[in-house]
């Protein structure tokens, strides 16, 4: 980001030092080691954009952290939340893939390490369930610092309309394997390439969480068995699974109960994209393969209900539960 926008100052925040030498960093980029659970008051009203990604499992009080993050924005600044969905979805209809367990022995074994990763985070004090509810159903529509309504429409050189957004949420599904197809040859090539990369990445990813699962009470033999079976599923692609990324974004108000300030005028090359406004589908407004934008809170809730309708209500066995029973 710092290289692409050399006029901007870019600050990265993480719990551990960035594995890059100072000599390799652009002059407009620096990193801070910090725990955002402790607050962000030293960044208040400083940023035009806050991009917060894949931190949900480490947040102890998600609503507090949301408010802290939004407080870092200047009036009119945009926050973009991106986090993982710990469930998997099948085929291009994106139906829920059941987790393999004693309750559903025919479920997906690849789902099991993800399910247990989320459960282990919760046992460790994570507020991940609130993150899921907020980013999937509530969005930023209820945040007092975020402008919920204002939308700026611009017609560029009379060619097409662009909507610079108010609050929205979105779902991006990444195919786990080169199974996804499109009638458009360029899209088809893109989906095949992304699917192959994601399968390669997830093969190492589900084994990387083994130490966390073992610390939470599972045996090494059990987690190895899950991963061996998961690798076979990835190779066969019979369930055509996807990993979902959840997104939510919005702009900060100019003051209490006031709209966000007008956006600056931008010089944009007027190349009309296909389906500028996106095509409407039951999953939301589709802008490119497997990315669906939800324009309203009602739309976001409706999509979440469709996605979750087949999910288990019962909780699979966990060793910690057995120990708690024995100790009573």
């Amino acid at each position: 980001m710092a290289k692409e926008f050399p006029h901007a100052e870019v600050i990265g925040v993480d719990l551990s030092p960035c594995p890059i030498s100072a000599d390799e960093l652009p002059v407009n980029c620096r990193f801070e080691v910090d725990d955002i659970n402790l607050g962000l008051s030293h960044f208040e009203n400083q940023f035009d954009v806050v991009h917060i990604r894949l931190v949900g499992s480490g947040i102890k009080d998600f609503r507090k952290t949301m408010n802290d993050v939004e407080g870092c924005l200047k009036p009119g600044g945009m926050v973009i939340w991106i986090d993982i969905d710990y469930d998997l979805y099948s085929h291009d209809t994106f139906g829920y893939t059941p987790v393999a367990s004693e309750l559903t022995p025919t479920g997906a074994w690849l789902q099991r390490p993800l399910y247990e990763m989320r459960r282990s985070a919760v046992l460790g004090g994570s507020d991940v369930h609130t993150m899921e509810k907020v980013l999937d159903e509530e969005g930023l529509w209820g945040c007092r610092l975020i402008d919920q309504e204002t939308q700026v429409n611009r017609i560029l050189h009379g060619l097409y309309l662009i909507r610079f957004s108010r609050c929205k949420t979105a779902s991006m599904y990444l195919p786990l394997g080169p199974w996804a197809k499109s009638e458009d040859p360029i899209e088809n090539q893109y989906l095949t390439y992304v699917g192959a990369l994601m399968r390669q990445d997830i093969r190492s990813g589900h084994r990387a969480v083994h130490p966390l699962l073992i610390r939470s009470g599972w045996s090494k033999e059990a987690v190895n068995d899950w991963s061996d079976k998961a690798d076979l599923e990835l190779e066969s692609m019979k369930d055509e699974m996807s990993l979902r990324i959840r997104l939510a974004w919005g702009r900060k108000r100019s003051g209490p109960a006031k709209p966000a300030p007008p956006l600056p005028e931008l010089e944009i090359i007027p190349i009309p994209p296909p389906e500028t406004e996106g095509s409407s589908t039951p999953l939301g407004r589709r802008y490119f393969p497997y990315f669906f934008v939800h324009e309203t809170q009602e739309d976001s809730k409706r999509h979440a209900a469709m996605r979750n309708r087949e999910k288990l209500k019962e909780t699979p066995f966990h060793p910690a539960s057995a120990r708690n029973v024995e100790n009573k």
Side-chain angles (χ1 to χ4, degrees):
M1 293 295 289
K3 290 177 179 177
E4 189 168 345
F5 301 97
H7 61 283
E9 181 185 8
V10 178
I11 301 175
V13 179
D14 208 338
L15 269 175
S16 58
C18 177
I20 186 172
S21 69
D23 295 338
E24 297 178 84
L25 283 177
V27 295
N28 60 326
C29 179
R30 64 183 175 88
F31 287 89
E32 290 192 5
V33 177
D34 204 352
D35 182 356
I36 65 173
N37 286 298
L38 303 178
L40 293 164
S41 58
H42 58 299
F43 284 140
E44 191 170 350
N45 293 315
Q46 291 189 31
F47 294 97
D48 298 295
V49 177
V50 175
H51 178 227
I52 183 160
R53 181 177 64 185
L54 305 181
V55 301
S57 63
I59 301 300
K60 306 300 183 183
D61 183 340
F62 191 77
R63 295 188 190 278
K64 174 187 176 298
T65 298
M66 279 188 75
N67 194 63
D68 292 343
V69 167
E70 291 155 11
C72 296
L73 294 169
K74 298 177 183 177
M78 175 170 281
V79 61
I80 305 169
W81 287 88
I82 301 178
D83 222 300
I84 190 175
D85 188 332
Y86 293 90
D87 295 308
L88 298 177
Y89 301 89
S90 295
H91 313 294
D92 57 6
T93 55
F94 308 112
Y96 171 71
T97 304
V99 57
S101 72
E102 72 282 2
L103 300 173
T104 51
T106 59
W109 288 102
L110 181 59
Q111 181 85 282
R112 191 63 187 264
L114 288 170
Y115 180 92
E116 296 299 342
M117 179 182 173
R118 173 172 51 195
R119 183 153 61 172
S120 297
V122 172
L123 290 171
S126 170
D127 195 20
V128 66
H129 290 309
T130 301
M131 178 274 288
E132 294 173 327
K133 180 175 177 60
V134 169
L135 298 189
D136 285 353
E137 300 180 30
E138 299 177 12
L140 307 185
W141 287 280
C143 299
R144 63 181 181 83
L145 297 179
I146 300 298
D147 183 356
Q148 303 169 26
E149 300 298 334
T150 303
Q151 179 167 281
V152 182
N153 294 338
R154 296 219 179 127
I155 297 178
L156 302 178
H157 301 280
L159 289 176
Y160 59 91
L161 179 71
I162 285 186
R163 291 181 175 176
F164 294 91
S165 66
R166 54 194 174 193
C167 292
K168 293 184 183 179
T169 63
S171 296
M172 179 169 62
Y173 295 88
L174 301 174
L176 301 180
W179 58 263
K181 304 299 179 185
S182 171
E183 294 181 359
D184 183 307
I186 295 177
E187 278 192 359
N188 194 65
Q189 184 179 23
Y190 170 78
L191 288 169
T192 300
Y193 180 66
V194 169
L197 287 180
M198 284 300 301
R199 182 168 64 178
Q200 177 181 324
D201 189 50
I202 205 75
R203 274 177 171 157
S204 59
H206 67 76
R207 293 183 183 276
V209 303
H210 283 193
L212 172 66
L213 304 186
I214 292 170
R215 285 197 303 271
S216 77
W218 290 106
S219 69
K220 182 177 180 181
E221 292 75 20
V223 296
N224 280 333
D225 182 55
W226 298 342
S227 286
D228 290 344
K229 292 174 179 176
D231 284 341
L232 293 175
E233 290 175 346
L234 285 168
E235 189 62 35
S236 70
M237 296 191 298
K238 71 179 182 64
D239 289 323
E240 297 184 345
M241 290 182 287
S242 292
L243 179 70
R244 175 177 167 267
I245 305 297
R246 45 170 63 97
L247 303 94
W249 63 89
R251 296 179 65 222
K252 187 176 181 179
R253 296 180 182 276
S254 58
K258 294 182 179 179
L263 289 165
E265 293 295 330
L266 300 175
E267 182 179 352
I268 302 177
I269 299 173
I271 302 174
E275 297 188 337
T276 300
E277 289 301 304
S279 57
S280 182
T281 78
L283 295 172
R285 190 164 291 276
R286 174 187 182 276
Y287 285 81
F288 55 87
Y290 303 161
F291 182 78
F292 303 95
V293 175
H294 315 302
E295 309 277 347
T296 65
Q297 189 177 47
E298 291 72 23
D299 184 35
S300 194
K301 287 181 177 179
R302 184 166 55 251
H303 183 203
M306 288 176 57
R307 193 173 58 246
N308 296 329
R309 64 185 182 274
E310 301 295 333
K311 288 188 178 178
L312 286 175
K313 303 301 180 185
E314 298 179 77
T315 303
F317 167 82
H318 190 280
S321 303
R323 288 198 299 269
N324 289 339
V325 171
E326 291 171 1
N327 292 332
K328 287 183 180 179

